[in-house]
Amino acid sequence: DRSKESTLSTMIAQLSLLSTLLLPAFAQQYPYAVDIAQQGPSSVFSCLKSNSYSNVFLRVYKPDGSGTVDTQGIDAVSPAFRAGLGTEAYMTPNPTGSKSANAQVDELVRAFNSGGVQVRALWLQVTSPVNWGVNQASNLNFIKSIISRFRLYGITTGIYTSSYDWQQITNNAVNLGSDVKLWYWSVFGQGPNGESAPNFFDFRPFGQWSTAEVKQFAQYEYVCGLNVNRDIYLVNSASSKLRASRANSTELASGKIIVGSLGL
């Protein structure tokens, strides 16, 4: 009868409204980024920007020898920034070479200063246990030394790792400081078929972290003709980046570029 049809129509309308309200929570879109270990021409950054990437992570220190500045990464900061991309930097140290943690940090900071770049935050890569020592306490001391040294320069350090890497390298260490944020990787293999979902649903707390700022969900993919890894980051980090971008107008006028704002 008509009363039943009316009740049914009302229920359908209510369900439709509920699904509309819930949809954004389940279909949340995160800003996209890439992280790059090998640089390409400056046109790559304009291409990334036009393909809806908002941020780029540049390797600025590499483990070659006993650790050395990645000059290609340093040189890429300016064109990436001027292409309109949020610009982050990450350091892949050498924890087993002859250079101390402090020496590697000092070397990198000098390179930034020489390039007219001011660093607010930097990410430290702690992955691939085979590249670290077998003594987890020594590994942790090395990591803490890097973090402390960067703090002396007024630079916040985040950690790029995974739960497995962190367990193997540091025995799941905690107490690095509340200012130390997390960028974790989660992939099933190389290339598009190895991607995990571009969201944070697979994150599980480990170490000191109950949340993460950045997730690497894809590795070894070609974007704009360059071999990159693909990342997403939280909206609150995006807001931080935008605030930093507005502040950078003064820095650009003085010839200084600021790197690092995610997680601040």
Side-chain angles (χ1 to χ4, degrees):
D1 58 28
R2 291 191 176 184
S3 64
K4 290 183 179 180
E5 290 179 359
S6 178
T7 300
L8 181 59
S9 298
T10 300
M11 290 177 61
I12 292 174
Q14 289 174 339
L15 287 172
S16 177
L17 176 59
L18 180 61
S19 65
T20 300
L21 293 173
L22 290 176
L23 181 61
F26 291 100
Q28 183 173 0
Q29 296 297 307
Y30 296 98
Y32 279 79
V34 297
D35 62 90
I36 304 172
Q38 296 184 355
Q39 310 304 321
S42 58
S43 59
V44 165
F45 302 113
S46 298
C47 177
L48 289 170
K49 181 67 174 179
S50 64
N51 280 276
S52 300
Y53 288 91
S54 303
N55 214 306
V56 60
F57 293 73
L58 303 170
R59 188 183 69 179
V60 293
Y61 199 89
K62 54 187 177 181
D64 299 15
S66 290
T68 186
V69 172
D70 189 335
T71 55
Q72 287 188 335
I74 297 288
D75 292 342
V77 168
S78 179
F81 185 88
R82 295 180 189 280
L85 292 168
T87 309
E88 301 287 316
Y90 72 95
M91 175 188 193
T92 309
N94 187 327
T96 61
S98 60
K99 288 182 184 177
S100 68
N102 287 352
Q104 294 183 52
V105 170
D106 292 346
E107 190 175 34
L108 177 54
V109 171
R110 284 196 299 270
F112 275 123
N113 290 339
S114 297
V117 176
Q118 180 180 340
V119 185
R120 287 177 172 163
L122 184 140
W123 299 89
L124 175 64
Q125 183 171 1
V126 184
T127 63
S128 304
V130 68
N131 295 330
W132 290 73
V134 295
N135 189 313
Q136 294 173 319
S138 295
N139 292 337
L140 181 58
N141 286 336
F142 180 87
I143 293 167
K144 286 184 172 181
S145 293
I146 286 184
I147 293 171
S148 296
R149 195 67 171 180
F150 275 125
R151 283 189 182 124
L152 288 178
Y153 288 107
I155 298 171
T156 300
T157 310
I159 300 294
Y160 161 45
T161 190
S162 70
S163 60
Y164 173 81
D165 290 331
W166 195 247
Q167 172 64 43
Q168 294 297 306
I169 295 170
T170 74
N171 194 28
N172 205 32
V174 297
N175 298 327
L176 299 178
S178 60
D179 58 326
V180 179
K181 307 302 182 182
L182 176 65
W183 165 19
Y184 77 105
W185 67 267
S186 176
V187 301
F188 303 110
Q190 298 181 6
N193 292 332
E195 293 184 4
S196 65
N199 57 50
F200 291 86
F201 293 167
D202 62 354
F203 178 74
R204 300 294 181 270
F206 67 92
Q208 69 172 42
W209 300 287
S210 58
T211 60
E213 297 291 325
V214 187
K215 174 188 176 182
Q216 182 188 91
F217 69 91
Q219 294 180 349
Y220 299 102
E221 296 189 11
Y222 281 92
V223 179
C224 293
L226 196 65
N227 191 352
V228 305
N229 302 322
R230 302 175 66 209
D231 310 87
I232 55 169
Y233 54 96
L234 293 180
V235 173
N236 64 325
S237 295
S239 299
S240 175
K241 176 181 73 66
L242 291 174
R243 288 195 298 273
S245 178
R246 296 188 193 101
N248 283 350
S249 59
T250 301
E251 303 298 330
L252 280 171
S254 64
K256 190 82 109 176
I257 292 175
I258 293 181
V259 166
S261 62
L262 296 184
L264 293 181

